[in-house]
């Protein structure tokens, strides 16, 4: 039995299941496996909150259509939570505590189990949000069946999911250093800024870090020449939407790079 079969088999006898679907490849594979085993007893749930980009929300919709899985959306504003908005090192914990609580309430009403897309590689990083979701009763089939990120992409490709090679993403608040407040204005500026960089530089993986009003652009190291070539146009547009300075991070993109408390 290969890993994808093991993942599908994990859902045997689970009854009704809610899959927390973010719009990324990990939760997409979990949704695929759940639907393969459970059919209409599996439902994808996407949280449409302020730190989720429209691109991710649209991706979640496409995934559900591709798989055929029933879906629902819950909406709320996590910026109303002061613990989250002040943006300390436990920001993800507060975010996922709220999400987990909402999912748990939904699962109770539907008599369902909740699962997410956490994989083995996620467990090796600083992810306080994972602990919060676990505290809410959320299970992680990928981690339990031994899936790494590479395994996920391979299995998603084998399953025919179009998202299998899509670059990883994270919530928009991760572009703001710890210690700097998360606001709706900053999130909108970041989201629009990343769209500008993608369109003008032709890159897939991009982060526009909002460093207290200064835009620091990160792309994969091999994409930096393309970014340089388009930097004048990009800078003009980023300054227009509210950034006061634009710079390129010459070291390139690396996940979690600004997870430090800002002065």
């Amino acid at each position: 039995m290969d890993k994808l079969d093991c993942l599908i088999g994990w859902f045997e006898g689970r009854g009704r299941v809610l899959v927390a679907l973010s719009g990324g490849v990990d939760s997409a594979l979990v949704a695929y496996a759940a639907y393969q085993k459970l059919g209409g007893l599996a439902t994808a749930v996407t949280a449409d909150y302020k730190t989720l980009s429209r691109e991710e929300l649209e991706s979640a919709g496409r995934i559900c259509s591709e798989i055929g899985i029933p879906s629902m959306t819950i909406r709320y504003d996590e910026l109303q939570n002061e613990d989250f908005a002040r943006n300390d090192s436990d920001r993800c914990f507060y975010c996922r505590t709220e999400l987990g609580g909402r999912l748990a309430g939904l699962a109770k009403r539907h008599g369902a189990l909740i699962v997410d897309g956490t994989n083995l590689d996620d467990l090796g990083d600083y992810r306080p949000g994972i602990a919060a979701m676990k505290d809410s009763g959320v299970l992680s089939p990928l981690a339990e069946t031994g899936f790494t990120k590479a395994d996920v992409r391979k299995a998603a490709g084998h399953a025919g999911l179009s998202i299998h090679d899509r670059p990883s993403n994270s919530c928009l608040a991760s572009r703001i250093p710890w210690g700097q407040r998360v606001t709706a204005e900053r999130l909108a500026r970041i989201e629009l800024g990343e769209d500008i960089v993608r369109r003008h530089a032709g890159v897939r993986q991009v982060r526009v870090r909002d460093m207290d009003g200064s835009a620091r652009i990160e792309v994969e190291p091999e994409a930096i020449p393309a970014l340089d070539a388009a930097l004048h146009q990009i800078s003009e547009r980023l300054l227009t939407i509210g950034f006061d300075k634009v710079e390129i991070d010459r070291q390139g993109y690396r996940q979690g790079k600004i997870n430090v408390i800002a002065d």
Side-chain angles (χ1 to χ4, degrees):
M1 180 181 291
D2 65 17
K3 281 200 165 185
L4 182 54
D5 289 334
C6 287
L7 180 63
I8 293 171
W10 186 93
F11 289 95
E12 181 71 40
R14 297 286 181 173
R16 189 172 295 278
V17 169
L18 299 180
V19 181
L21 181 68
S22 66
V25 65
D26 300 312
S27 56
L29 184 64
V30 174
Y32 170 85
Y35 188 65
Q36 288 297 303
K37 177 58 68 173
L38 301 174
L41 290 176
T43 301
V45 182
T46 299
D48 178 9
Y49 40 64
K50 298 299 182 182
T51 54
L52 182 76
S53 70
R54 297 307 88 184
E55 181 187 30
E56 291 293 286
L57 185 62
E58 291 167 5
S59 175
R62 287 193 300 271
I63 289 165
C64 291
S65 295
E66 229 174 81
I67 295 171
I69 189 171
S71 63
M72 65 176 74
T73 303
I74 57 175
R75 294 178 175 87
Y76 61 94
D77 182 359
E78 72 275 38
L79 298 182
Q80 298 301 311
N81 182 342
E82 176 58 27
D83 288 334
F84 173 85
R86 71 167 178 260
N87 194 22
D88 62 20
S89 59
D90 287 325
R91 179 195 68 225
C92 290
F93 178 81
Y94 302 128
C95 173
R96 294 308 181 189
T97 295
E98 182 169 8
L99 174 59
R102 290 174 181 273
L103 289 172
L106 192 62
K108 185 175 181 180
R109 291 195 296 274
H110 289 265
L113 183 73
I114 324 167
V115 298
D116 70 3
T118 299
N119 64 59
L120 283 182
D121 291 338
D122 294 330
L123 301 181
D125 196 6
Y126 177 64
R127 300 284 183 92
I130 292 176
M133 292 289 272
K134 185 176 181 180
D135 288 345
S136 296
V138 179
L139 300 181
S140 302
L142 292 175
E144 290 189 24
T145 52
F147 271 77
T148 63
K149 187 71 172 187
D151 293 330
V152 169
R153 292 197 181 279
K154 181 178 178 181
H158 180 74
L161 297 178
S162 61
I163 198 174
H164 71 95
D165 62 347
R166 185 170 182 265
S168 60
N169 207 346
S170 55
C171 88
L172 294 171
S174 67
R175 280 68 152 167
I176 302 172
W178 290 339
Q180 295 183 15
R181 191 171 186 83
V182 179
T183 67
E185 292 76 17
R186 294 182 84 172
L187 296 174
R189 184 168 64 190
I190 289 165
E191 183 172 9
L192 182 54
E194 293 186 350
D195 183 58
I196 288 169
V197 175
R198 287 191 194 93
R199 286 190 287 110
H200 288 279
V203 296
R204 298 182 69 202
Q205 181 71 280
V206 59
R207 298 288 186 271
V208 173
R209 309 290 188 187
D210 188 335
M211 311 299 288
D212 202 17
S214 177
R216 191 177 75 193
I217 306 172
E218 296 176 17
V219 297
E220 299 286 356
E222 61 271 19
I224 290 178
L227 180 59
D228 280 328
L231 185 59
H232 179 69
Q233 288 179 307
I234 290 170
S235 294
E236 283 187 336
R237 284 158 177 78
L238 293 185
L239 293 173
T240 298
I241 65 173
F243 287 105
D244 53 37
K245 181 182 177 183
V246 179
E247 62 181 359
I248 296 174
D249 186 328
R250 297 290 167 183
Q251 294 181 338
Y253 166 73
R254 178 171 59 81
Q255 188 176 17
K257 184 177 285 188
I258 60 168
N259 283 354
V260 294
I261 296 292
D263 294 329

